[in-house]
Amino acid sequence: MDIRKGFTLIELVIVIVILGILAAFIVPKFAGLSKEARIGTVNSMEGALRSASAIVHAKALTTNVAGLAASTVTMEDTSTVAIAFGYPTGLSTGMGAALQSTSGFTPTYTVATSTFDKVGAPGTCNAIYTAATATTVPPKFATNTGGC
């Protein structure tokens, strides 16, 4: 029985070199996936904003308050949503109340806009809702994914 068991120095160096080569190809692929995941999440938030806005607008139409510059509607889950011209305002009582969840985002609310910044993004990575300004000017939806 041989007492000297183990690896030689050259075998260890070869294994380390092979692992380094594999890491050089694998790491960039995973880095790109996290950016794509953040972009997908921001695009999903834009879709949620569009859906919430449409649902609130439908409720405003059915309760005859869609033409008013300022009003509220009560949704099925009993949340009250502040509206302007039949769509949610940019406030937390408007679009903030219309959304089911803002998990994974940091919201910022003003009368005119709601901005949802992706948590953990290295730069500007957000979805933006701009409230309606008249009965003939519907809300606008945008995403900024350059900093995702």
Side-chain angles (χ1 to χ4, degrees), residues 53-145:
S53 177
I55 291 169
V56 169
H57 185 63
K59 180 70 173 193
L61 288 171
T62 61
T63 56
N64 294 321
V65 293
L68 300 178
S71 188
T72 60
V73 293
T74 302
M75 302 307 289
E76 190 174 287
D77 64 355
T78 68
S79 63
T80 301
V81 179
I83 62 170
F85 307 107
Y87 294 96
T89 65
L91 297 170
S92 62
T93 56
M95 184 51 81
L99 288 173
Q100 292 272 324
S101 171
T102 59
S103 178
F105 291 87
T106 302
T108 305
Y109 301 106
T110 67
V111 173
T113 61
S114 298
T115 304
F116 299 89
D117 295 307
K118 179 70 182 113
V119 173
T124 303
C125 184
N126 57 28
I128 301 169
Y129 169 79
T130 304
T133 55
T135 53
T136 57
V137 182
K140 294 179 177 69
F141 307 90
T143 59
N144 293 316
T145 57

Side-chain angles (χ1 to χ4, degrees), residues 1-6:
M1 196 159 136
D2 188 11
I3 321 176
R4 298 182 308 165
K5 292 184 178 179

